[in-house]
Amino acid sequence: MAELRVGALYPDLMNIYADRGNLAVLERRCAWRGIGMRVTSIGIGQALDPEAHDLIYLGGGQDRDQRLCAADLVATKRAALHAAAARGAIVLGVCGGLQLLGHEYQLGAERLPGLGLVDLRTVREPGPRLIGNVAIEVDLGDGPRVLAGFENHGGRTYLGPGERPLGRVLRGHGNNGRDGGEGVRRGPVIGTYLHGPLLPKNAWFADWLIATALGMGPLGPLPGDELEAAAHAAARAAAGI
Ligand code: GLN
């Protein structure tokens, strides 16, 4: 039986808006297809085996939790995460997780170090937090699709010149409320500000992650997925997007 091996980074600390629910969706959608899933939690001070995971997940967190994780990520996991991404393991970061994929998160005079897996920087600028429902258009190679979610971040993220966002903002703020980009994607390294959590609201994206992480062809829909598609269509029609 195929098995999806997931490394869950700091599942207790980085779990704002129940981001851990993303793992529950991966597990269920694997199980419904007869694919196993093994989750290994990797906490503060614990080493990460770069060969051991098909998908490594880092959820969002408050600034104070991010501070703990940033120091630990750089001290104990940075090289292993680069090695895992280099062999094609998916690294998925949500919100605080997205911010930590980049070079740094600047909070006033303080700079939280990041992993440097992608070329981006995040700054806590003066001004309101960027909060609200968000929809983005993404193209993962099979045509444009929509991801829906909820964002709440004080940090504004700016991508370096060679870096591509995950998607284009249709509604909401995105990375910084200015440039129309949302998240980041460089090969298997993917970051987004979308909570929801992300995968319960976008089951198709969970399937894409499973298939890509396991090197499988596209997974067909499951019974009931038409309800999600109809809900998305109705919400988009109501929002005029
Ligand atoms: N603490 C970060 C910020 O406020 C990320 C918040 C989050 O993960 N929701 O920008």
Side-chain angles (χ1 to χ4, degrees):
M1 175 166 95
E3 185 183 55
L4 181 69
R5 301 168 306 157
V6 175
L9 288 167
Y10 319 107
D12 300 326
L13 286 169
M14 299 295 276
N15 180 36
I16 208 166
Y17 295 117
D19 278 341
R20 214 163 31 188
N22 290 323
L23 298 181
V25 170
L26 290 173
E27 190 278 327
R28 272 295 87 202
R29 295 187 72 83
C30 280
W32 284 328
R33 295 193 168 90
I35 300 170
M37 178 167 138
R38 179 155 39 108
V39 180
T40 307
S41 298
I42 310 155
I44 298 275
Q46 293 179 320
L48 183 147
D49 177 352
E51 304 291 329
H53 311 288
D54 307 304
L55 189 153
I56 297 164
Y57 174 64
L58 180 57
Q62 308 227 8
D63 289 346
R64 64 166 184 273
D65 296 327
Q66 256 176 275
R67 192 170 282 123
L68 294 172
C69 295
D72 184 73
L73 275 175
V74 172
T76 68
K77 300 174 178 63
R78 188 176 195 279
L81 280 162
H82 278 258
R87 53 165 269 276
I90 289 188
V91 181
L92 174 64
V94 171
C95 198
L98 155 68
Q99 295 171 346
L100 292 173
L101 297 178
H103 297 300
E104 63 178 23
Y105 177 22
Q106 193 182 328
L107 286 153
E110 188 184 14
R111 283 165 196 265
L112 303 187
L115 290 163
L117 281 168
V118 281
D119 181 18
L120 64 81
R121 290 190 155 68
T122 301
V123 190
R124 179 72 176 93
E125 294 166 1
R129 298 182 66 82
L130 304 180
I131 303 175
N133 290 322
V134 50
I136 66 172
E137 185 178 82
V138 301
D139 190 341
L140 301 170
D142 54 357
R145 306 205 50 175
V146 173
L147 286 175
F150 175 78
E151 60 183 328
N152 181 354
H153 48 110
R156 269 77 165 161
T157 294
Y158 297 94
L159 305 191
E163 214 62 90
R164 312 274 309 163
L166 173 63
R168 178 174 76 82
V169 174
L170 299 172
R171 279 287 185 283
H173 302 287
N175 283 343
N176 48 55
R178 292 198 195 105
D179 64 19
E182 203 293 315
V184 68
R185 176 167 183 220
R186 187 197 290 183
V189 181
I190 298 173
T192 177
Y193 272 112
L194 271 62
H195 300 284
L198 172 70
L199 300 182
K201 283 206 168 159
N202 302 281
W204 71 267
F205 189 51
D207 288 352
W208 183 88
L209 290 168
I210 295 165
T212 306
L214 293 177
M216 302 165 80
L219 299 171
L222 289 166
D225 282 353
E226 67 280 4
L227 299 176
E228 187 212 24
H232 265 223
R236 288 172 62 182
I241 54 178

